[in-house]
PDB file of all heavy atoms in Angstrom:
ATOM      1  N   ARG A 428       0.822  -1.222  -0.003  1.00  0.00           N
ATOM      2  CA  ARG A 428      -0.001  -0.004   0.008  1.00  0.00           C
ATOM      3  C   ARG A 428       0.847   1.277   0.008  1.00  0.00           C
ATOM      4  O   ARG A 428       0.481   2.256  -0.630  1.00  0.00           O
ATOM      5  CB  ARG A 428      -0.921  -0.012   1.222  1.00  0.00           C
ATOM      6  CG  ARG A 428      -1.908   1.108   1.188  1.00  0.00           C
ATOM      7  CD  ARG A 428      -2.906   0.956   2.302  1.00  0.00           C
ATOM      8  NE  ARG A 428      -3.805   2.094   2.302  1.00  0.00           N
ATOM      9  CZ  ARG A 428      -4.640   2.378   3.238  1.00  0.00           C
ATOM     10  NH1 ARG A 428      -4.730   1.566   4.300  1.00  0.00           N
ATOM     11  NH2 ARG A 428      -5.411   3.413   3.194  1.00  0.00           N
ATOM     12  N   ALA A 429       1.965   1.266   0.688  1.00  0.00           N
ATOM     13  CA  ALA A 429       2.791   2.450   0.779  1.00  0.00           C
ATOM     14  C   ALA A 429       3.416   2.833  -0.546  1.00  0.00           C
ATOM     15  O   ALA A 429       3.510   4.020  -0.885  1.00  0.00           O
ATOM     16  CB  ALA A 429       3.883   2.273   1.845  1.00  0.00           C
ATOM     17  N   SER A 430       3.876   1.850  -1.320  1.00  0.00           N
ATOM     18  CA  SER A 430       4.598   2.138  -2.556  1.00  0.00           C
ATOM     19  C   SER A 430       3.810   1.786  -3.814  1.00  0.00           C
ATOM     20  O   SER A 430       4.185   2.220  -4.896  1.00  0.00           O
ATOM     21  CB  SER A 430       5.905   1.356  -2.583  1.00  0.00           C
ATOM     22  OG  SER A 430       5.657  -0.035  -2.654  1.00  0.00           O
ATOM     23  N   GLY A 431       2.767   0.989  -3.683  1.00  0.00           N
ATOM     24  CA  GLY A 431       2.025   0.537  -4.855  1.00  0.00           C
ATOM     25  C   GLY A 431       2.741  -0.585  -5.605  1.00  0.00           C
ATOM     26  O   GLY A 431       2.306  -1.008  -6.670  1.00  0.00           O
ATOM     27  N   ALA A 432       3.817  -1.106  -5.032  1.00  0.00           N
ATOM     28  CA  ALA A 432       4.596  -2.181  -5.687  1.00  0.00           C
ATOM     29  C   ALA A 432       3.785  -3.497  -5.635  1.00  0.00           C
ATOM     30  O   ALA A 432       3.009  -3.746  -4.710  1.00  0.00           O
ATOM     31  CB  ALA A 432       5.933  -2.370  -4.996  1.00  0.00           C
ATOM     32  N   LEU A 433       3.972  -4.313  -6.671  1.00  0.00           N
ATOM     33  CA  LEU A 433       3.270  -5.579  -6.826  1.00  0.00           C
ATOM     34  C   LEU A 433       4.240  -6.741  -6.811  1.00  0.00           C
ATOM     35  O   LEU A 433       5.368  -6.613  -7.251  1.00  0.00           O
ATOM     36  CB  LEU A 433       2.524  -5.598  -8.169  1.00  0.00           C
ATOM     37  CG  LEU A 433       1.460  -4.543  -8.411  1.00  0.00           C
ATOM     38  CD1 LEU A 433       1.012  -4.584  -9.858  1.00  0.00           C
ATOM     39  CD2 LEU A 433       0.302  -4.720  -7.489  1.00  0.00           C
ATOM     40  N   LYS A 434       3.768  -7.866  -6.348  1.00  0.00           N
ATOM     41  CA  LYS A 434       4.515  -9.121  -6.428  1.00  0.00           C
ATOM     42  C   LYS A 434       3.500 -10.190  -6.817  1.00  0.00           C
ATOM     43  O   LYS A 434       2.436 -10.275  -6.229  1.00  0.00           O
ATOM     44  CB  LYS A 434       5.165  -9.428  -5.087  1.00  0.00           C
ATOM     45  CG  LYS A 434       6.447 -10.171  -5.183  1.00  0.00           C
ATOM     46  CD  LYS A 434       7.213 -10.118  -3.887  1.00  0.00           C
ATOM     47  CE  LYS A 434       8.624 -10.617  -4.029  1.00  0.00           C
ATOM     48  NZ  LYS A 434       9.338 -10.596  -2.756  1.00  0.00           N
ATOM     49  N   VAL A 435       3.852 -11.004  -7.802  1.00  0.00           N
ATOM     50  CA  VAL A 435       2.907 -11.969  -8.360  1.00  0.00           C
ATOM     51  C   VAL A 435       3.528 -13.381  -8.233  1.00  0.00           C
ATOM     52  O   VAL A 435       4.705 -13.574  -8.445  1.00  0.00           O
ATOM     53  CB  VAL A 435       2.666 -11.707  -9.860  1.00  0.00           C
ATOM     54  CG1 VAL A 435       1.598 -12.613 -10.424  1.00  0.00           C
ATOM     55  CG2 VAL A 435       2.316 -10.247 -10.099  1.00  0.00           C
ATOM     56  N   TRP A 436       2.651 -14.333  -7.905  1.00  0.00           N
ATOM     57  CA  TRP A 436       3.104 -15.716  -7.798  1.00  0.00           C
ATOM     58  C   TRP A 436       1.971 -16.648  -8.218  1.00  0.00           C
ATOM     59  O   TRP A 436       0.807 -16.433  -7.818  1.00  0.00           O
ATOM     60  CB  TRP A 436       3.526 -16.006  -6.370  1.00  0.00           C
ATOM     61  CG  TRP A 436       4.132 -17.342  -6.129  1.00  0.00           C
ATOM     62  CD1 TRP A 436       5.407 -17.746  -6.438  1.00  0.00           C
ATOM     63  CD2 TRP A 436       3.532 -18.456  -5.482  1.00  0.00           C
ATOM     64  NE1 TRP A 436       5.592 -19.032  -6.038  1.00  0.00           N
ATOM     65  CE2 TRP A 436       4.473 -19.491  -5.436  1.00  0.00           C
ATOM     66  CE3 TRP A 436       2.267 -18.671  -4.925  1.00  0.00           C
ATOM     67  CZ2 TRP A 436       4.179 -20.728  -4.900  1.00  0.00           C
ATOM     68  CZ3 TRP A 436       2.001 -19.904  -4.360  1.00  0.00           C
ATOM     69  CH2 TRP A 436       2.959 -20.913  -4.357  1.00  0.00           C
ATOM     70  N   TYR A 437       2.307 -17.647  -9.001  1.00  0.00           N
ATOM     71  CA  TYR A 437       1.322 -18.620  -9.486  1.00  0.00           C
ATOM     72  C   TYR A 437       1.595 -19.982  -8.843  1.00  0.00           C
ATOM     73  O   TYR A 437       2.748 -20.327  -8.564  1.00  0.00           O
ATOM     74  CB  TYR A 437       1.417 -18.787 -11.012  1.00  0.00           C
ATOM     75  CG  TYR A 437       1.006 -17.535 -11.751  1.00  0.00           C
ATOM     76  CD1 TYR A 437       1.924 -16.518 -12.012  1.00  0.00           C
ATOM     77  CD2 TYR A 437      -0.313 -17.365 -12.169  1.00  0.00           C
ATOM     78  CE1 TYR A 437       1.534 -15.358 -12.667  1.00  0.00           C
ATOM     79  CE2 TYR A 437      -0.704 -16.195 -12.836  1.00  0.00           C
ATOM     80  CZ  TYR A 437       0.235 -15.215 -13.092  1.00  0.00           C
ATOM     81  OH  TYR A 437      -0.147 -14.071 -13.743  1.00  0.00           O
ATOM     82  N   CYS A 438       0.531 -20.735  -8.620  1.00  0.00           N
ATOM     83  CA  CYS A 438       0.680 -22.091  -8.105  1.00  0.00           C
ATOM     84  C   CYS A 438      -0.319 -23.004  -8.804  1.00  0.00           C
ATOM     85  O   CYS A 438      -1.336 -22.541  -9.310  1.00  0.00           O
ATOM     86  CB  CYS A 438       0.487 -22.126  -6.570  1.00  0.00           C
ATOM     87  SG  CYS A 438      -1.154 -21.726  -6.032  1.00  0.00           S
ATOM     88  N   GLU A 439       0.005 -24.276  -8.820  1.00  0.00           N
ATOM     89  CA  GLU A 439      -0.904 -25.263  -9.365  1.00  0.00           C
ATOM     90  C   GLU A 439      -1.698 -25.850  -8.230  1.00  0.00           C
ATOM     91  O   GLU A 439      -1.148 -26.564  -7.385  1.00  0.00           O
ATOM     92  CB  GLU A 439      -0.119 -26.379 -10.095  1.00  0.00           C
ATOM     93  CG  GLU A 439       0.545 -25.911 -11.346  1.00  0.00           C
ATOM     94  CD  GLU A 439       1.253 -27.054 -12.055  1.00  0.00           C
ATOM     95  OE1 GLU A 439       0.558 -27.821 -12.752  1.00  0.00           O
ATOM     96  OE2 GLU A 439       2.473 -27.146 -11.897  1.00  0.00           O
ATOM     97  N   ALA A 440      -2.988 -25.515  -8.146  1.00  0.00           N
ATOM     98  CA  ALA A 440      -3.835 -26.013  -7.086  1.00  0.00           C
ATOM     99  C   ALA A 440      -5.282 -25.933  -7.558  1.00  0.00           C
ATOM    100  O   ALA A 440      -5.651 -25.075  -8.365  1.00  0.00           O
ATOM    101  CB  ALA A 440      -3.663 -25.200  -5.822  1.00  0.00           C
ATOM    102  N   ALA A 441      -6.106 -26.832  -7.029  1.00  0.00           N
ATOM    103  CA  ALA A 441      -7.524 -26.842  -7.369  1.00  0.00           C
ATOM    104  C   ALA A 441      -8.265 -25.694  -6.759  1.00  0.00           C
ATOM    105  O   ALA A 441      -9.350 -25.302  -7.196  1.00  0.00           O
ATOM    106  CB  ALA A 441      -8.153 -28.154  -6.951  1.00  0.00           C
ATOM    107  N   GLY A 442      -7.713 -25.096  -5.721  1.00  0.00           N
ATOM    108  CA  GLY A 442      -8.334 -23.974  -5.026  1.00  0.00           C
ATOM    109  C   GLY A 442      -7.403 -23.474  -3.938  1.00  0.00           C
ATOM    110  O   GLY A 442      -6.265 -23.853  -3.853  1.00  0.00           O
ATOM    111  N   GLU A 443      -7.974 -22.611  -3.098  1.00  0.00           N
ATOM    112  CA  GLU A 443      -7.162 -22.084  -1.991  1.00  0.00           C
ATOM    113  C   GLU A 443      -6.830 -23.170  -0.984  1.00  0.00           C
ATOM    114  O   GLU A 443      -7.678 -24.003  -0.665  1.00  0.00           O
ATOM    115  CB  GLU A 443      -7.964 -21.014  -1.232  1.00  0.00           C
ATOM    116  CG  GLU A 443      -8.083 -19.709  -1.937  1.00  0.00           C
ATOM    117  CD  GLU A 443      -8.779 -18.662  -1.038  1.00  0.00           C
ATOM    118  OE1 GLU A 443      -8.978 -18.920   0.175  1.00  0.00           O
ATOM    119  OE2 GLU A 443      -9.079 -17.605  -1.567  1.00  0.00           O
ATOM    120  N   ASN A 444      -5.601 -23.163  -0.494  1.00  0.00           N
ATOM    121  CA  ASN A 444      -5.253 -24.036   0.612  1.00  0.00           C
ATOM    122  C   ASN A 444      -4.116 -23.382   1.395  1.00  0.00           C
ATOM    123  O   ASN A 444      -3.388 -22.534   0.870  1.00  0.00           O
ATOM    124  CB  ASN A 444      -4.885 -25.456   0.141  1.00  0.00           C
ATOM    125  CG  ASN A 444      -3.630 -25.488  -0.689  1.00  0.00           C
ATOM    126  OD1 ASN A 444      -2.547 -25.168  -0.244  1.00  0.00           O
ATOM    127  ND2 ASN A 444      -3.780 -25.885  -1.959  1.00  0.00           N
ATOM    128  N   GLN A 445      -3.966 -23.771   2.630  1.00  0.00           N
ATOM    129  CA  GLN A 445      -3.005 -23.103   3.490  1.00  0.00           C
ATOM    130  C   GLN A 445      -1.561 -23.346   3.068  1.00  0.00           C
ATOM    131  O   GLN A 445      -0.684 -22.527   3.309  1.00  0.00           O
ATOM    132  CB  GLN A 445      -3.195 -23.503   4.953  1.00  0.00           C
ATOM    133  CG  GLN A 445      -2.937 -24.965   5.248  1.00  0.00           C
ATOM    134  CD  GLN A 445      -3.303 -25.358   6.669  1.00  0.00           C
ATOM    135  OE1 GLN A 445      -4.020 -24.632   7.352  1.00  0.00           O
ATOM    136  NE2 GLN A 445      -2.835 -26.501   7.099  1.00  0.00           N
ATOM    137  N   HIS A 446      -1.271 -24.446   2.397  1.00  0.00           N
ATOM    138  CA  HIS A 446       0.086 -24.738   1.971  1.00  0.00           C
ATOM    139  C   HIS A 446       0.508 -23.802   0.837  1.00  0.00           C
ATOM    140  O   HIS A 446       1.622 -23.291   0.831  1.00  0.00           O
ATOM    141  CB  HIS A 446       0.238 -26.207   1.590  1.00  0.00           C
ATOM    142  CG  HIS A 446      -0.109 -27.117   2.714  1.00  0.00           C
ATOM    143  ND1 HIS A 446       0.659 -27.185   3.880  1.00  0.00           N
ATOM    144  CD2 HIS A 446      -1.138 -27.946   2.917  1.00  0.00           C
ATOM    145  CE1 HIS A 446       0.106 -28.057   4.707  1.00  0.00           C
ATOM    146  NE2 HIS A 446      -0.994 -28.519   4.144  1.00  0.00           N
ATOM    147  N   SER A 447      -0.376 -23.584  -0.128  1.00  0.00           N
ATOM    148  CA  SER A 447      -0.068 -22.662  -1.205  1.00  0.00           C
ATOM    149  C   SER A 447       0.050 -21.234  -0.669  1.00  0.00           C
ATOM    150  O   SER A 447       0.937 -20.472  -1.083  1.00  0.00           O
ATOM    151  CB  SER A 447      -1.179 -22.679  -2.276  1.00  0.00           C
ATOM    152  OG  SER A 447      -1.165 -23.907  -2.948  1.00  0.00           O
ATOM    153  N   LEU A 448      -0.814 -20.876   0.274  1.00  0.00           N
ATOM    154  CA  LEU A 448      -0.756 -19.535   0.878  1.00  0.00           C
ATOM    155  C   LEU A 448       0.573 -19.353   1.627  1.00  0.00           C
ATOM    156  O   LEU A 448       1.211 -18.327   1.507  1.00  0.00           O
ATOM    157  CB  LEU A 448      -1.938 -19.299   1.791  1.00  0.00           C
ATOM    158  CG  LEU A 448      -1.962 -17.934   2.503  1.00  0.00           C
ATOM    159  CD1 LEU A 448      -1.929 -16.785   1.513  1.00  0.00           C
ATOM    160  CD2 LEU A 448      -3.208 -17.834   3.389  1.00  0.00           C
ATOM    161  N   PHE A 449       0.966 -20.362   2.361  1.00  0.00           N
ATOM    162  CA  PHE A 449       2.241 -20.312   3.093  1.00  0.00           C
ATOM    163  C   PHE A 449       3.399 -20.111   2.085  1.00  0.00           C
ATOM    164  O   PHE A 449       4.258 -19.241   2.298  1.00  0.00           O
ATOM    165  CB  PHE A 449       2.460 -21.597   3.902  1.00  0.00           C
ATOM    166  CG  PHE A 449       3.831 -21.684   4.524  1.00  0.00           C
ATOM    167  CD1 PHE A 449       4.090 -21.027   5.726  1.00  0.00           C
ATOM    168  CD2 PHE A 449       4.845 -22.384   3.929  1.00  0.00           C
ATOM    169  CE1 PHE A 449       5.338 -21.082   6.321  1.00  0.00           C
ATOM    170  CE2 PHE A 449       6.112 -22.441   4.517  1.00  0.00           C
ATOM    171  CZ  PHE A 449       6.338 -21.793   5.721  1.00  0.00           C
ATOM    172  N   ASP A 450       3.413 -20.899   1.002  1.00  0.00           N
ATOM    173  CA  ASP A 450       4.466 -20.781   0.000  1.00  0.00           C
ATOM    174  C   ASP A 450       4.476 -19.356  -0.592  1.00  0.00           C
ATOM    175  O   ASP A 450       5.555 -18.795  -0.838  1.00  0.00           O
ATOM    176  CB  ASP A 450       4.297 -21.813  -1.096  1.00  0.00           C
ATOM    177  CG  ASP A 450       4.595 -23.230  -0.610  1.00  0.00           C
ATOM    178  OD1 ASP A 450       5.255 -23.391   0.435  1.00  0.00           O
ATOM    179  OD2 ASP A 450       4.152 -24.182  -1.298  1.00  0.00           O
ATOM    180  N   PHE A 451       3.292 -18.794  -0.850  1.00  0.00           N
ATOM    181  CA  PHE A 451       3.216 -17.447  -1.390  1.00  0.00           C
ATOM    182  C   PHE A 451       3.755 -16.409  -0.394  1.00  0.00           C
ATOM    183  O   PHE A 451       4.540 -15.533  -0.766  1.00  0.00           O
ATOM    184  CB  PHE A 451       1.789 -17.076  -1.795  1.00  0.00           C
ATOM    185  CG  PHE A 451       1.666 -15.619  -2.110  1.00  0.00           C
ATOM    186  CD1 PHE A 451       2.290 -15.071  -3.212  1.00  0.00           C
ATOM    187  CD2 PHE A 451       0.921 -14.780  -1.292  1.00  0.00           C
ATOM    188  CE1 PHE A 451       2.203 -13.713  -3.510  1.00  0.00           C
ATOM    189  CE2 PHE A 451       0.803 -13.427  -1.588  1.00  0.00           C
ATOM    190  CZ  PHE A 451       1.450 -12.889  -2.691  1.00  0.00           C
ATOM    191  N   LEU A 452       3.353 -16.509   0.856  1.00  0.00           N
ATOM    192  CA  LEU A 452       3.829 -15.566   1.857  1.00  0.00           C
ATOM    193  C   LEU A 452       5.345 -15.641   1.985  1.00  0.00           C
ATOM    194  O   LEU A 452       6.008 -14.603   2.117  1.00  0.00           O
ATOM    195  CB  LEU A 452       3.149 -15.795   3.203  1.00  0.00           C
ATOM    196  CG  LEU A 452       1.652 -15.503   3.245  1.00  0.00           C
ATOM    197  CD1 LEU A 452       1.067 -15.882   4.597  1.00  0.00           C
ATOM    198  CD2 LEU A 452       1.348 -14.057   2.885  1.00  0.00           C
ATOM    199  N   MET A 453       5.899 -16.832   1.980  1.00  0.00           N
ATOM    200  CA  MET A 453       7.359 -16.982   2.057  1.00  0.00           C
ATOM    201  C   MET A 453       8.024 -16.345   0.839  1.00  0.00           C
ATOM    202  O   MET A 453       9.054 -15.657   0.960  1.00  0.00           O
ATOM    203  CB  MET A 453       7.759 -18.464   2.177  1.00  0.00           C
ATOM    204  CG  MET A 453       7.291 -19.147   3.444  1.00  0.00           C
ATOM    205  SD  MET A 453       7.828 -18.389   4.991  1.00  0.00           S
ATOM    206  CE  MET A 453       6.392 -17.450   5.460  1.00  0.00           C
ATOM    207  N   PHE A 454       7.443 -16.532  -0.335  1.00  0.00           N
ATOM    208  CA  PHE A 454       7.948 -15.901  -1.547  1.00  0.00           C
ATOM    209  C   PHE A 454       7.828 -14.382  -1.463  1.00  0.00           C
ATOM    210  O   PHE A 454       8.780 -13.640  -1.749  1.00  0.00           O
ATOM    211  CB  PHE A 454       7.197 -16.422  -2.789  1.00  0.00           C
ATOM    212  CG  PHE A 454       7.417 -15.598  -4.019  1.00  0.00           C
ATOM    213  CD1 PHE A 454       8.575 -15.730  -4.761  1.00  0.00           C
ATOM    214  CD2 PHE A 454       6.456 -14.692  -4.433  1.00  0.00           C
ATOM    215  CE1 PHE A 454       8.786 -14.978  -5.901  1.00  0.00           C
ATOM    216  CE2 PHE A 454       6.670 -13.934  -5.566  1.00  0.00           C
ATOM    217  CZ  PHE A 454       7.822 -14.071  -6.302  1.00  0.00           C
ATOM    218  N   ALA A 455       6.669 -13.919  -1.055  1.00  0.00           N
ATOM    219  CA  ALA A 455       6.363 -12.473  -1.046  1.00  0.00           C
ATOM    220  C   ALA A 455       7.245 -11.722  -0.047  1.00  0.00           C
ATOM    221  O   ALA A 455       7.666 -10.589  -0.322  1.00  0.00           O
ATOM    222  CB  ALA A 455       4.894 -12.254  -0.746  1.00  0.00           C
ATOM    223  N   TRP A 456       7.517 -12.304   1.087  1.00  0.00           N
ATOM    224  CA  TRP A 456       8.235 -11.615   2.144  1.00  0.00           C
ATOM    225  C   TRP A 456       9.737 -11.916   2.181  1.00  0.00           C
ATOM    226  O   TRP A 456      10.473 -11.265   2.901  1.00  0.00           O
ATOM    227  CB  TRP A 456       7.620 -11.944   3.525  1.00  0.00           C
ATOM    228  CG  TRP A 456       6.201 -11.499   3.633  1.00  0.00           C
ATOM    229  CD1 TRP A 456       5.535 -10.577   2.886  1.00  0.00           C
ATOM    230  CD2 TRP A 456       5.254 -11.983   4.597  1.00  0.00           C
ATOM    231  NE1 TRP A 456       4.240 -10.438   3.308  1.00  0.00           N
ATOM    232  CE2 TRP A 456       4.047 -11.287   4.372  1.00  0.00           C
ATOM    233  CE3 TRP A 456       5.294 -12.875   5.638  1.00  0.00           C
ATOM    234  CZ2 TRP A 456       2.898 -11.492   5.128  1.00  0.00           C
ATOM    235  CZ3 TRP A 456       4.158 -13.101   6.382  1.00  0.00           C
ATOM    236  CH2 TRP A 456       2.979 -12.401   6.150  1.00  0.00           C
ATOM    237  N   SER A 457      10.193 -12.867   1.396  1.00  0.00           N
ATOM    238  CA  SER A 457      11.569 -13.280   1.414  1.00  0.00           C
ATOM    239  C   SER A 457      12.456 -12.339   0.611  1.00  0.00           C
ATOM    240  O   SER A 457      12.075 -11.835  -0.451  1.00  0.00           O
ATOM    241  CB  SER A 457      11.676 -14.681   0.835  1.00  0.00           C
ATOM    242  OG  SER A 457      13.024 -15.067   0.680  1.00  0.00           O
ATOM    243  N   LYS A 458      13.643 -12.126   1.102  1.00  0.00           N
ATOM    244  CA  LYS A 458      14.630 -11.311   0.386  1.00  0.00           C
ATOM    245  C   LYS A 458      15.305 -12.162  -0.698  1.00  0.00           C
ATOM    246  O   LYS A 458      15.811 -11.641  -1.670  1.00  0.00           O
ATOM    247  CB  LYS A 458      15.693 -10.792   1.354  1.00  0.00           C
ATOM    248  CG  LYS A 458      16.658  -9.822   0.708  1.00  0.00           C
ATOM    249  CD  LYS A 458      17.565  -9.190   1.729  1.00  0.00           C
ATOM    250  CE  LYS A 458      18.451  -8.164   1.011  1.00  0.00           C
ATOM    251  NZ  LYS A 458      19.249  -7.401   1.938  1.00  0.00           N
ATOM    252  N   ASP A 459      15.277 -13.462  -0.544  1.00  0.00           N
ATOM    253  CA  ASP A 459      15.961 -14.374  -1.492  1.00  0.00           C
ATOM    254  C   ASP A 459      15.148 -14.648  -2.747  1.00  0.00           C
ATOM    255  O   ASP A 459      15.589 -15.409  -3.579  1.00  0.00           O
ATOM    256  CB  ASP A 459      16.260 -15.699  -0.781  1.00  0.00           C
ATOM    257  CG  ASP A 459      17.152 -15.492   0.439  1.00  0.00           C
ATOM    258  OD1 ASP A 459      17.963 -14.556   0.429  1.00  0.00           O
ATOM    259  OD2 ASP A 459      17.025 -16.289   1.375  1.00  0.00           O
ATOM    260  N   ALA A 460      13.988 -14.051  -2.885  1.00  0.00           N
ATOM    261  CA  ALA A 460      13.129 -14.367  -4.014  1.00  0.00           C
ATOM    262  C   ALA A 460      13.547 -13.652  -5.308  1.00  0.00           C
ATOM    263  O   ALA A 460      12.889 -13.792  -6.320  1.00  0.00           O
ATOM    264  CB  ALA A 460      11.658 -14.001  -3.689  1.00  0.00           C
ATOM    265  N   GLY A 461      14.622 -12.884  -5.268  1.00  0.00           N
ATOM    266  CA  GLY A 461      15.086 -12.215  -6.485  1.00  0.00           C
ATOM    267  C   GLY A 461      14.391 -10.893  -6.711  1.00  0.00           C
ATOM    268  O   GLY A 461      14.436 -10.330  -7.792  1.00  0.00           O
ATOM    269  N   SER A 462      13.720 -10.381  -5.693  1.00  0.00           N
ATOM    270  CA  SER A 462      12.974  -9.142  -5.812  1.00  0.00           C
ATOM    271  C   SER A 462      13.482  -8.118  -4.810  1.00  0.00           C
ATOM    272  O   SER A 462      13.885  -8.464  -3.694  1.00  0.00           O
ATOM    273  CB  SER A 462      11.497  -9.433  -5.558  1.00  0.00           C
ATOM    274  OG  SER A 462      10.741  -8.233  -5.491  1.00  0.00           O
ATOM    275  N   LEU A 463      13.412  -6.863  -5.163  1.00  0.00           N
ATOM    276  CA  LEU A 463      13.786  -5.803  -4.238  1.00  0.00           C
ATOM    277  C   LEU A 463      12.751  -5.723  -3.104  1.00  0.00           C
ATOM    278  O   LEU A 463      13.110  -5.483  -1.965  1.00  0.00           O
ATOM    279  CB  LEU A 463      13.830  -4.474  -4.980  1.00  0.00           C
ATOM    280  CG  LEU A 463      14.242  -3.239  -4.185  1.00  0.00           C
ATOM    281  CD1 LEU A 463      15.645  -3.385  -3.631  1.00  0.00           C
ATOM    282  CD2 LEU A 463      14.152  -2.006  -5.061  1.00  0.00           C
ATOM    283  N   LEU A 464      11.496  -5.951  -3.405  1.00  0.00           N
ATOM    284  CA  LEU A 464      10.411  -5.893  -2.419  1.00  0.00           C
ATOM    285  C   LEU A 464      10.474  -7.115  -1.500  1.00  0.00           C
ATOM    286  O   LEU A 464      10.397  -8.239  -1.957  1.00  0.00           O
ATOM    287  CB  LEU A 464       9.074  -5.832  -3.158  1.00  0.00           C
ATOM    288  CG  LEU A 464       7.819  -5.734  -2.346  1.00  0.00           C
ATOM    289  CD1 LEU A 464       7.785  -4.446  -1.527  1.00  0.00           C
ATOM    290  CD2 LEU A 464       6.597  -5.801  -3.255  1.00  0.00           C
ATOM    291  N   HIS A 465      10.630  -6.873  -0.207  1.00  0.00           N
ATOM    292  CA  HIS A 465      10.677  -7.959   0.750  1.00  0.00           C
ATOM    293  C   HIS A 465      10.388  -7.412   2.130  1.00  0.00           C
ATOM    294  O   HIS A 465      10.280  -6.213   2.308  1.00  0.00           O
ATOM    295  CB  HIS A 465      12.061  -8.654   0.747  1.00  0.00           C
ATOM    296  CG  HIS A 465      13.178  -7.801   1.217  1.00  0.00           C
ATOM    297  ND1 HIS A 465      13.770  -6.836   0.419  1.00  0.00           N
ATOM    298  CD2 HIS A 465      13.792  -7.693   2.430  1.00  0.00           C
ATOM    299  CE1 HIS A 465      14.718  -6.227   1.099  1.00  0.00           C
ATOM    300  NE2 HIS A 465      14.739  -6.706   2.329  1.00  0.00           N
ATOM    301  N   GLY A 466      10.260  -8.285   3.107  1.00  0.00           N
ATOM    302  CA  GLY A 466      10.013  -7.874   4.468  1.00  0.00           C
ATOM    303  C   GLY A 466       8.632  -8.300   4.945  1.00  0.00           C
ATOM    304  O   GLY A 466       7.705  -8.472   4.174  1.00  0.00           O
ATOM    305  N   VAL A 467       8.507  -8.461   6.273  1.00  0.00           N
ATOM    306  CA  VAL A 467       7.264  -8.898   6.912  1.00  0.00           C
ATOM    307  C   VAL A 467       6.489  -7.645   7.290  1.00  0.00           C
ATOM    308  O   VAL A 467       7.007  -6.779   8.014  1.00  0.00           O
ATOM    309  CB  VAL A 467       7.568  -9.756   8.140  1.00  0.00           C
ATOM    310  CG1 VAL A 467       6.287 -10.175   8.833  1.00  0.00           C
ATOM    311  CG2 VAL A 467       8.415 -10.970   7.767  1.00  0.00           C
ATOM    312  N   PRO A 468       5.251  -7.524   6.836  1.00  0.00           N
ATOM    313  CA  PRO A 468       4.468  -6.328   7.173  1.00  0.00           C
ATOM    314  C   PRO A 468       3.922  -6.391   8.601  1.00  0.00           C
ATOM    315  O   PRO A 468       3.910  -7.442   9.233  1.00  0.00           O
ATOM    316  CB  PRO A 468       3.307  -6.421   6.153  1.00  0.00           C
ATOM    317  CG  PRO A 468       3.115  -7.877   5.945  1.00  0.00           C
ATOM    318  CD  PRO A 468       4.496  -8.467   6.003  1.00  0.00           C
TER     319      PRO A 468
END
């Protein structure tokens, strides 16, 4: 919200599940994901 920056991640799943969400959060907040945008909100 502060910067308007976006991060996108795709997964193969039939629907929402906590494991895919966990993987996304780790990708979104990780510094190692190859993105400048990182950190835990």
